[in-house]
């Protein structure tokens, strides 16, 4: 797998959950985002959005965020802007019954503050725009789960 998605096989995905149940299919979707053609990558990213961040965040979301950061910074990934948008969706959504999961998911996104500022100066206009939006969301982030910094 190279350096992109390195360590993904160490995660016990079958023990984690997303919006629709078992997260066992998450690694396959992450791989399709990484190495698929444009349509395959976009379709896989759409699934990940529904599973990990557009409705709420889950324990699989927490495990996936570091790999999403990998994908956001990997030039060969065709849907980098979409990955960055998914990171923003994760930051904007919660899981009030599982506030500790929400906190962990948000912290995982917030750790990329320096990375997002680098992406905001890159050569791809779509990536730059998505990174700037995520950077603004990171800089202004407040929620019931995250203590003020």
């Amino acid at each position: 797998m190279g350096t992109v998605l390195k360590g993904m096989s160490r995660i016990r995905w079958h023990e984690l959950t997303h919006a629709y149940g078992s997260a066992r299919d998450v690694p396959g979707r992450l791989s399709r985002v990484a190495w698929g053609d444009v349509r395959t990558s976009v379709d896989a990213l759409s699934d990940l959005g529904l599973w990990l961040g557009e409705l709420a965040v889950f324990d699989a979301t927490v495990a996936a965020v570091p790999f999403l950061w990998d994908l956001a910074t990997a030039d060969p990934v065709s849907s980098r802007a979409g990955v960055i948008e998914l990171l923003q969706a994760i930051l904007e959504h919660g899981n009030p019954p599982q506030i500790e999961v929400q906190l962990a998911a948000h912290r995982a996104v917030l750790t990329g503050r320096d990375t997002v500022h680098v992406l905001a100066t890159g050569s791809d206009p779509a990536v730059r725009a998505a990174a700037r939006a995520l950077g603004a969301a990171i800089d202004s982030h407040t929620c019931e789960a995250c203590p003020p910094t």
Side-chain angles (χ1 to χ4, degrees), residues 1-9 27 30-31 34-35 67 70-71:
M1 277 194 226
T3 58
V4 175
L5 305 180
K6 185 176 181 177
M8 188 169 62
S9 63
L30 289 167
S31 294
W35 296 290
F67 302 110
D70 282 351
L71 295 172

Side-chain angles (χ1 to χ4, degrees), residues 88-113:
Q88 185 171 345
I90 290 167
L91 186 62
E92 293 173 349
H93 288 88
N95 192 334
Q98 296 182 1
I99 202 79
E100 70 285 347
V101 171
Q102 179 177 333
L103 175 60
H106 289 181
R107 281 186 175 165
V109 174
L110 294 170
T111 63
R113 177 178 270 122

Side-chain angles (χ1 to χ4, degrees), residues 28-52:
R29 295 308 192 280
L30 289 167
S31 294
R32 288 183 184 122
V33 172
W35 296 290
D37 59 28
V38 173
R39 182 177 179 158
T40 301
S41 181
V42 168
D43 288 348
L45 190 56
S46 176
D47 288 343
L48 290 170
L50 290 172
W51 296 350
L52 301 176

Side-chain angles (χ1 to χ4, degrees), residues 10 39 55 60 73 82 85 113 117 133 149:
R10 293 189 201 116
R39 182 177 179 158
L55 303 172
T73 61
E85 290 165 358
R113 177 178 270 122
H117 293 301
T149 55

Side-chain angles (χ1 to χ4, degrees), residues 4 77 80 85 121-122:
V4 175
V77 173
R80 290 172 57 213
E85 290 165 358
T121 63

